[in-house]
Amino acid sequence: MNTKPLFDVIVVGAGPAGSTLSAQLGKKGFKVLLLDKAEFPRYKVCGGGITLRAASMLRLDVKSVIRDKITQIEFKHDGKDSHCHKSDFPFIYTVMRDEFDNLLVNEAIKAGVQFLPSTLVRKVELFNEKVCVSTNKESYYGKFVVGSDGVNSVVAKQLNLMNEREAFLALEYELLTKPEALQKHKGKISIDYGIVPDGYSWIFPKNEHLSVGIIGNSKDGKLLQRKLSEYMEREQLSGSFLSQKGFFVSKGGNSLQITKGRGALVGDAAGLVDPLAGEGIYYAIWSAKILGEVLQINLKHNEKNLLFYQERVEQEINVELKLLQRISKLFYSNSYFLHRQFVKRPVFFKQFVRVTANEISYLDYYKKYRKRIWYWETISRFISRLNR
C-alpha cells in the first residue's frame, strides 16, 4: 500500500459545491481529484433557479447556460389571490442543471483538477495521516475527503454523519408545451403555496419548455403526484414530458455534525438548504468557498482537523438557515393569512429582490421587520388556537 497521499483533496460529487471547491483549490495549485458516479453532462432534477447572489459568488460567466432571466414572480394561495411582483432587473436566472453543472466541472478541469466521471464510491476510510476512497475502479488516497454528493450522500453514510437529517420530497416535470404557454410564463416564476403542507408548487420557464414541480413535508409520492396534476390542470398546462422525476431535498436550519477527522460535507450533503423555499445552490457554493479557505490553511500548515469549517458554517450559514427555519414555521402554520400580508405590502417583495441581488442579507431583512414578524407570530399563534 502506498503510504504517501497522492492527492491533497478528494472530492466526491461534481455538483455546484464539489466543482466550485475543486476549482478553488486547483487554482491555488493543490492536487485535487473530483469523482462523480454519473457521466457528464448528466440530467439533474432541480427547479434550476440561480439567484443573483449565487451567480455573483461563483465569479464565473454563466451567460452561456441561462435559459431565462426572471423579472417577475407570481404568488398564489391554493390557486387564489394571485399577485404578481415585478422587478426592474433580472433577480433570478433559470438553467438546466446538466448544462450549468457541466460548465462548473469544465472550470474545475481548466484549474488542473483531475475529473473522473462514472466512478461509484463504495467505501471511505479515514486514517491519521490520509484518507482512502475505494470505488468501482480502484482506490484513491489523499489528505482530505469531501462529500458533495447530495442528500443521499455516500460519504456522509461512510463517515456516520447526518443520521438525523430531515428531508422534503419533491417532484419535477420538464414539460414541452404550447408556444402561448411559454410566452405567458417567459421571464416569470409562479409559486402557489397552500396546496400541500409546508410546501408549494412552481413553474420555472426554461425557454423551450417549462419546469413544473411540487415540494412539501410529505413522503407520500402519490399525494404529491395528484396535487401536481391538479395544479397543472388549474394552470391549464398540457403537453409532452421530457422527464418526470422525484427527489429528496434536505431541510436546513439544524445544527448537525458535518466534519469528522479528515472528512467534511458541503452543500446538500451537509443539509445546507433553505428550509423555506428549498433553494440549495447558493448555500452549496457558499459552503464550498468556506471549506476551500479552511482546507488551504490546513494543507499549508499540515493541520488535519476541520472543526474550524464546522464553526464557520454555524456562524455564517446556519445563522441564516435557522432564521429561515423560524420564518418557515411561521409562514406555513398560517400561509393564507401571511400571503395576504405580502400581497398588501409590495415592499416585502422589494426587500426579497434585494436579498437575491446580494444587496442585503436575510438577517438584514429580519432586523428591519422584526417587530412586524413578532406581530405576525402572535397573530399566527392566536389563529392556530382558534383552528384547533
Side-chain angles (χ1 to χ4, degrees), residues 12-20 34-46 48 67 95-106 115-119 148-151 172 174 243 245 268 281 284:
V12 180
S19 293
T20 298
L34 176 60
L35 308 174
D36 198 281
K37 64 183 179 181
E39 187 67 35
F40 271 57
R42 56 89 177 95
Y43 177 77
K44 172 72 174 178
V45 188
C46 179
R67 289 298 189 100
V95 300
M96 290 298 293
R97 284 289 303 277
D98 55 343
E99 299 169 346
F100 179 70
D101 289 13
N102 202 50
L103 176 72
L104 300 184
V105 165
N106 285 332
F115 176 51
L116 295 181
S118 303
T119 305
S148 52
D149 47 344
V151 64
E172 185 195 46
E174 302 285 0
S243 72
K245 294 185 180 293
D268 200 0
I281 292 176

Side-chain angles (χ1 to χ4, degrees), residues 46-50 92-97 172 204 206 211 281:
C46 179
I50 311 294
I92 294 174
Y93 302 130
T94 61
V95 300
M96 290 298 293
R97 284 289 303 277
E172 185 195 46
F204 279 29
K206 301 284 184 68
S211 169
I281 292 176

Side-chain angles (χ1 to χ4, degrees), residues 53-171:
R53 67 175 185 165
S56 64
M57 185 174 281
L58 273 176
R59 297 178 183 173
L60 176 67
D61 187 353
V62 298
K63 291 178 183 176
S64 63
V65 297
I66 293 174
R67 289 298 189 100
D68 205 346
K69 298 178 180 180
I70 304 304
T71 57
Q72 302 178 62
I73 185 166
E74 179 185 37
F75 291 110
K76 293 182 182 179
H77 188 277
D78 203 9
K80 306 180 184 68
D81 295 310
S82 172
H83 190 82
C84 188
H85 297 278
K86 298 181 180 180
S87 168
D88 295 331
F89 58 88
F91 56 95
I92 294 174
Y93 302 130
T94 61
V95 300
M96 290 298 293
R97 284 289 303 277
D98 55 343
E99 299 169 346
F100 179 70
D101 289 13
N102 202 50
L103 176 72
L104 300 184
V105 165
N106 285 332
E107 186 70 11
I109 293 171
K110 289 177 189 175
V113 172
Q114 183 176 342
F115 176 51
L116 295 181
S118 303
T119 305
L120 184 64
V121 171
R122 290 179 172 158
K123 190 175 183 180
V124 178
E125 297 174 278
L126 303 181
F127 301 102
N128 189 45
E129 298 298 329
K130 64 179 180 292
V131 302
C132 177
V133 178
S134 302
T135 75
N136 59 324
K137 296 178 179 177
E138 60 179 283
S139 295
Y140 303 96
Y141 296 89
K143 297 176 183 177
F144 295 95
V145 62
V146 177
S148 52
D149 47 344
V151 64
N152 298 311
S153 172
V154 174
V155 176
K157 291 183 176 71
Q158 287 289 305
L159 301 186
N160 197 30
L161 298 173
M162 300 298 294
N163 293 324
E164 298 178 15
R165 181 197 305 272
E166 296 182 69
F168 286 119
L169 177 61
L171 300 178

Side-chain angles (χ1 to χ4, degrees), residues 19 25 62 76 96 108 142 151 155 164 176 185 189 217 228 258 264 278 282 301 352 386:
S19 293
L25 293 172
V62 298
K76 293 182 182 179
M96 290 298 293
V151 64
V155 176
E164 298 178 15
L176 279 174
H185 292 282
I189 285 176
N217 190 18
L228 184 53
I258 57 174
Y282 173 68
H301 298 283
F352 166 74
L386 291 179

